[in-house]
Amino acid sequence: MHRFLNLEIDKDAELQEMIELTAELLNCPIALITLIEGDTQYFLYKVGTDVEQVSNSDSFCRYLNLGNDLMVVTDTHKDERFASNPFVTGNPNVVFYAGVPLTTHDGHLLGSICILDVISREFTPVQSRLLRVLAKRVIQIMEFEFSINLLKQQFLQARDAETKLRSFFESSSSCHLLIDRDMGVMAYNKNMASFLKRMYNVMLKQGTHVNQILQGPALESFTTDFKQALSGKTITFEREVNYKNGERIWWYVAFEPGFDAEGKIIGISYNATDITARKVNEEKILAQNSSLRQIAHMQSHELRKPVATILGLMEVLKLDHSPEMTEEMYMLEETTRELDDKIRMIVNMIN
């Protein structure tokens, strides 16, 4: 395949050889492979003339645009289409013409292969067949080169896409799997292979079935999520897993449907990210918050005791006080009540 993709094709040399062979086999002084672009016809491969191009209005081959399989003009002087053509009335004084259109497999007219002579002549069925065969060979050379270049381009694009995918797989700290519809492994990254070897003693490779890795409830749970992803849903969750070796790992898991170029689901992408460090930090923060609530609750209730005592004493003093102390007593009472309100607010926030 690599030798085929690296094949160098000298299309110009082959086509020039073809037109020289045409002139020799059909015994004609002038033979051309013409290519049409816009209003101009180019003589890129030729024998017996130095003309490089002509306008379509002066071209013999323009009548092939009507879809003729083969056009033969035995005497141009007797054909009103060509009698006044400058190549008939002047140099090289063409009298005979035979041409076949060069049509691609999908119906596009590229130009023609034709022979010309300065004398009138008959064109036999064998010669007609030979010119048609030569036209097909010219198209094969042209389309083969196009196909090779297209294949090279597609190969390079596919290789580039594979490189990018592999780069993403291997640069990620997560564990990645691509799984086909039958739950067989299509692709994976090194992290996943290393993890499965360490935890399950499984040597991961393409074609490994999920049931060769998981058993029991773990396999049942995986299969349920897998089937939902195959239906087109994206499944995500966080889960703590306790392994036989004593390790406890929190995973963020995603099952995502995988589509081909036509939008058909061909499998799923399984991605698992270790979030244990984050979960441990969250647990620490929750524990710290719980402790702070307990401390605040205890302190707030302890503060309320003396405040309640002060407010009780104030009530007693207001029943028996001298007139000159009234303002100070009310100020003390107001301040104590404000402190009590703040403590209540703290208690409500904690609860």
Side-chain angles (χ1 to χ4, degrees):
M1 175 59 75
H2 282 286
R3 184 168 69 240
F4 181 71
L5 289 173
N6 292 325
L7 181 64
E8 295 294 334
I9 301 174
D10 190 351
K11 178 193 69 176
D12 292 338
E14 283 201 52
L15 292 177
Q16 182 59 37
E17 184 179 8
M18 284 293 299
I19 202 62
E20 290 172 2
L21 180 63
T22 301
E24 182 179 348
L25 292 176
L26 296 176
N27 193 28
C28 273
I30 302 174
L32 307 169
I33 294 176
T34 74
L35 297 176
I36 300 171
E37 183 178 11
D39 296 328
T40 305
Q41 192 166 44
Y42 296 91
F43 301 164
L44 298 184
Y45 313 99
K46 52 189 180 291
V47 171
T49 181
D50 294 327
V51 178
E52 298 288 338
Q53 65 186 61
V54 297
S55 65
N56 276 341
S57 59
D58 294 331
S59 169
F60 288 79
C61 300
R62 69 190 179 102
Y63 294 99
L64 293 173
N65 291 339
L66 300 177
N68 310 61
D69 176 45
L70 169 69
M71 184 174 72
V72 178
V73 181
T74 57
D75 191 339
T76 56
H77 297 101
K78 299 178 180 179
D79 191 314
E80 61 181 11
R81 294 174 297 176
F82 306 111
S84 59
N85 187 288
F87 295 104
V88 173
T89 59
N91 189 49
N93 306 113
V94 175
V95 177
F96 171 84
Y97 168 88
V100 175
L102 299 177
T103 307
T104 64
H105 72 280
D106 51 350
H108 294 286
L109 180 67
L110 299 182
S112 68
I113 180 170
C114 59
I115 56 173
L116 304 97
D117 206 339
V118 295
I119 60 173
S120 179
R121 53 186 290 183
E122 295 298 323
F123 205 57
T124 68
V126 172
Q127 291 174 320
S128 298
R129 182 181 177 186
L130 178 59
L131 189 58
R132 290 190 181 98
V133 170
L134 291 169
K136 289 180 181 179
R137 176 59 182 151
V138 169
I139 284 293
Q140 287 172 353
I141 293 172
M142 290 181 174
E143 291 199 322
F144 182 68
E145 184 198 41
F146 174 78
S147 298
I148 287 292
N149 290 332
L150 182 61
L151 183 59
K152 287 181 180 179
Q153 182 181 5
Q154 292 174 341
F155 173 78
L156 292 174
Q157 289 175 345
R159 188 173 64 181
D160 182 56
E162 181 182 5
T163 300
K164 289 179 179 177
L165 177 61
R166 179 57 56 187
S167 175
F168 167 76
F169 262 30
E170 301 306 342
S171 64
S172 173
S173 61
S174 300
C175 294
H176 299 287
L177 277 179
L178 293 179
I179 307 173
D180 63 27
R181 296 184 65 90
D182 297 322
M183 297 184 71
V185 173
M186 294 190 293
Y188 54 90
N189 67 343
K190 291 181 181 178
N191 283 345
M192 177 61 82
S194 176
F195 177 80
L196 293 180
K197 174 62 178 175
R198 181 166 61 90
M199 290 298 187
Y200 298 100
N201 197 29
V202 172
M203 295 295 294
L204 190 61
K205 59 183 180 180
Q206 286 187 350
T208 299
H209 198 277
V210 173
N211 63 17
Q212 296 175 271
I213 304 170
L214 303 175
Q215 289 85 35
L219 178 60
E220 293 176 6
S221 176
F222 187 97
T223 302
T224 298
D225 295 327
F226 176 85
K227 288 180 178 179
Q228 290 191 62
L230 274 186
S231 70
K233 299 177 182 178
T234 295
I235 309 299
T236 61
F237 56 83
E238 295 180 359
R239 178 176 295 166
E240 183 184 31
V241 181
N242 296 306
Y243 294 95
K244 292 181 179 180
N245 64 357
E247 286 191 53
R248 182 175 71 100
I249 301 178
W250 272 95
W251 295 104
Y252 173 79
V253 177
F255 288 78
E256 299 178 284
F259 301 89
D260 63 11
E262 298 176 354
K264 181 181 177 181
I265 297 177
I266 58 173
I268 66 105
S269 169
Y270 172 84
N271 307 293
T273 304
D274 186 342
I275 58 171
T276 305
R278 192 195 83 193
K279 283 294 184 178
V280 169
N281 288 333
E282 288 178 357
E283 290 175 357
K284 287 181 179 179
I285 292 172
L286 290 174
Q288 290 172 354
N289 288 341
S290 178
S291 298
L292 290 173
R293 286 195 194 93
Q294 292 178 2
I295 294 170
H297 186 270
M298 292 172 60
Q299 290 182 343
S300 62
H301 280 283
E302 289 176 0
L303 284 172
R304 289 198 67 192
K305 290 179 181 179
V307 169
T309 300
I310 294 172
L311 290 174
L313 289 173
M314 291 299 301
E315 292 296 328
V316 173
L317 290 173
K318 284 194 294 183
L319 295 175
D320 184 18
H321 65 274
S322 57
E324 60 272 15
M325 294 184 63
T326 302
E327 183 176 353
E328 289 80 359
M329 291 172 60
Y330 276 104
M331 288 179 62
L332 178 60
E333 181 182 29
E334 182 179 353
T335 302
T336 305
R337 291 191 182 282
E338 287 181 2
L339 179 58
D340 187 51
D341 289 340
K342 296 294 184 183
I343 294 172
R344 289 178 184 275
M345 183 177 67
I346 293 172
V347 171
N348 290 333
M349 290 176 61
I350 295 172
N351 297 329

